[in-house]
Amino acid sequence: MGLEADVHPGSTADVTRRRARTVLVVLALFIVINAADKAVLGLTADPIRDELGLTATEFGTVAGSFYLLFSVSAVAVGFLGDRIRTRPLLAALALVWAAAQLPILLPAAGFGALVATRVVLGAGEGPGYPLANYTAFTWFPGKERSLPSAVVVAGGAGGTIVAAPLVILVSNTLGWRASFGLLGGIGILWMLAWLRLGGSGPYAARVDATAAVGDAVPGAVPGAVDGEVPFRRFVTTGTWLGATFSAFTVMWTLAIGFAWLPLFLEEQAGFSDAEISGILGLPALSMAVLVLTSGIVAQRLLRRGTTARVAQGLLGALLPLLAGACLLLTTRAGPGVALLLPLVVAFSAGNGQTPLTNAAIADICPPGRRSAALGLSYALAALSSLLAPYVTGRIIDAAPSEALGYGRAFDLAAWLLIAGGVISMLLVRPDRDAQLLGTQRRSDF
C-alpha cells in the first residue's frame, strides 16, 4: 500500500508515502475512539438502568438519541469537507466528543443529561466516518482506496475490542460514570495528536495556499471544486443508492449490537460480565479481519484488471447476505456456546462491505465532490441507527416475553441485511456510473 509503485528512500515520494501511513494510523485511532464512544452506553446498560430505573423503551430512547443530529451533522460537515481543510474539522469533532462525555461524571446527571449529551455526542460523531475516509482518500490515488478505507473502518472494530474490557473494568471498579469520563479524556489526547501529525494529502480537491505547513504536501494536485456535473447526478446513480441502502441495513444491525447485544448476552444467553467482555470482542475481531481482508482482496482484484462491479459491488454484497443468514440463526441456536458462531458472523460480516462501497462512491466522484457524497450517504444510512435501538426496545416491550421480543427484533435486522445485500449486488456498478458521469479519468486523482 503506497502512493507510488516505485519510490527511493529519502525521495519526496518516499516522505509522502510515510506521511500517508502515519496519517492513516491516526485516522484509524480516531475511529477507535468513535466506536468506543458508541459502545460505552451498551456496555454500562445494566448499572445505568438499575441506578436510573429505566424501562427498555426509555433506555432505547437514550441509545437512539445519539443519532438525533447524527445525520444532519454528517451532511453539513460533509459539504464543509470539500471547502475547509480536514485538520481543524477533525480536531473540532474530537473536542465535541470530549465535551459531551465529561458531564456524565457529575452524580446529578440522570436520564435527561444522558439524552442531551448523547445528542451532542452524536452530532460530533456523525461526520466522523465519512470525513476520516475522505481524508484517507486524499493520500491515495484511484484503485488504491479500498485498503486505506478498510484500515479506517477496522478502527471501529478496534474500538469495540479495546472498549469492552476497559469500560467494564472501569465501570466495575470506579462506577459506570467513570467510563464516560475516561473516553472524554482520551478524545482530548487524540485531538492534540491530530493537530501535531494530521492533515490532508496530495489527492485532495485543492490545497489552500494559506494552509498550515503540515497540510501542504509536495506533489499536490491543484484544482477547484468540480462543478461540471450537478451533485444530484452523483447521488442518484445506482452505485450511490445501492451503497447507501446496504449501509443503512448494516448500521441498523450495528446499532442493535451497541445498544442491546450486551443485555441479550446477559439476560437471554446467561453469560456473566466477564464472559460478556470476552464475547463482545469476538465480533469486533472478526469484523477487523473481514474488513481488512475484503479491502486487500478488492484492491488486488482491481490491480489485476477486474471490474469495480465485481471487486466492490458483488464481493461486497456477499458479506451482508452472510450476516443476515447468521442473524436468523442467532436466536434459534439456543443459549450458551451454540449461538456464538452465528452471533459473531451476524454482527461482523456486514461491515466488511463498508470500505468497498466507500471506495466505490469515491471512484464515481471527482475530488471536489467526494466529501459531500460520502457524508450524505453516511447521513442517510445512519438514520437506521436512530431508529434501530428505539424500535428494538418497543418490540421487546410489546412481546409476550423478552426472548420472543429479541427474536422478532433480530429477525427484522436479518431480513434488512439480506435485502441490502441483494440491492447492492444489483446496483453497485462504479465503472458504468463513472463512465456515464464522465468522471472516470478524474476519479483517479
Side-chain angles (χ1 to χ4, degrees), residues 73-87 89-90 127 130-131 134-135 138 200 204-206 225 367-373 375:
S73 63
V75 173
V77 177
F79 278 90
L80 284 176
D82 286 329
R83 294 163 175 80
I84 299 175
R85 291 179 293 117
T86 57
R87 172 181 286 170
L89 283 179
L90 287 171
L131 193 59
Y134 168 72
T135 305
T138 68
S200 299
R206 63 182 182 179
V225 174
R369 299 290 194 179
R370 282 185 195 135
S371 179

Side-chain angles (χ1 to χ4, degrees), residues 30-31 34-35 38 66-67 69-75 78 97 122-133 153 156 235 240 243-245 247-248 250-251 254 258 351 354 357-358 361 370-386:
F30 178 74
I31 301 302
N34 180 291
K38 291 187 183 80
F66 176 88
Y67 297 96
L69 298 179
F70 193 90
S71 295
V72 174
S73 63
V75 173
W97 300 358
E125 294 210 352
Y129 260 106
L131 193 59
N133 270 286
V153 174
V235 300
W240 191 92
T244 300
F245 178 73
F248 178 96
V250 169
M251 292 183 71
L254 291 177
F258 280 123
N351 216 33
T354 303
T357 51
N358 284 338
I361 290 174
R370 282 185 195 135
S371 179
L374 288 166
L376 182 59
S377 175
Y378 189 71
L380 293 177
L383 292 175
S384 66
S385 300
L386 172 64

Side-chain angles (χ1 to χ4, degrees), residues 29-307:
L29 292 174
F30 178 74
I31 301 302
V32 167
I33 301 170
N34 180 291
D37 283 338
K38 291 187 183 80
V40 66
L41 186 71
L43 292 168
T44 55
D46 201 36
I48 288 175
R49 289 184 65 185
D50 286 345
E51 180 177 327
L52 303 181
L54 304 181
T55 66
T57 299
E58 288 172 333
F59 180 75
T61 300
V62 173
S65 65
F66 176 88
Y67 297 96
L68 186 62
L69 298 179
F70 193 90
S71 295
V72 174
S73 63
V75 173
V77 177
F79 278 90
L80 284 176
D82 286 329
R83 294 163 175 80
I84 299 175
R85 291 179 293 117
T86 57
R87 172 181 286 170
L89 283 179
L90 287 171
L93 293 183
L95 184 61
V96 170
W97 300 358
Q101 297 284 47
L102 293 174
I104 302 302
L105 286 169
L106 299 174
F111 173 76
L114 273 175
V115 171
T117 55
R118 296 306 280 184
V119 170
V120 173
L121 181 65
E125 294 210 352
Y129 260 106
L131 193 59
N133 270 286
Y134 168 72
T135 305
F137 292 154
T138 68
W139 288 94
F140 298 89
K143 307 301 182 185
E144 292 189 16
R145 298 192 185 108
S146 295
L147 184 53
S149 181
V151 172
V152 172
V153 174
T160 304
I161 293 171
V162 172
L166 183 60
V167 168
I168 290 176
L169 174 63
V170 171
S171 179
N172 288 341
T173 55
L174 300 176
W176 63 269
R177 296 178 186 275
S179 300
F180 287 77
L182 173 66
L183 292 176
I186 291 173
I188 293 175
L189 292 177
W190 184 90
M191 180 190 68
L192 296 175
W194 174 250
L195 290 173
R196 174 67 179 84
L197 301 172
S200 299
Y203 297 96
R206 63 182 182 179
V207 176
D208 194 325
T210 63
V213 174
D215 278 338
V217 181
V221 178
V225 174
D226 302 77
E228 300 88 347
V229 182
F231 184 71
R232 69 176 183 277
R233 290 196 58 196
F234 297 111
V235 300
T236 53
T237 59
T239 295
W240 191 92
L241 292 171
T244 300
F245 178 73
S246 189
F248 178 96
T249 69
V250 169
M251 292 183 71
W252 182 285
T253 301
L254 291 177
I256 292 175
F258 280 123
W260 289 105
L261 185 56
L263 285 174
F264 170 79
L265 290 171
E266 179 183 358
E267 297 174 355
Q268 302 304 312
F271 290 107
S272 66
D273 284 347
E275 290 170 331
I276 291 171
S277 175
I279 291 169
L280 290 177
L282 296 178
L285 182 60
S286 174
M287 185 188 300
V289 171
L290 288 170
V291 164
L292 292 172
T293 300
S294 66
I296 291 169
V297 171
Q299 191 152 301
R300 287 181 177 175
L301 288 174
L302 290 169
R303 285 176 175 173
R304 293 175 182 175
T306 305
T307 64

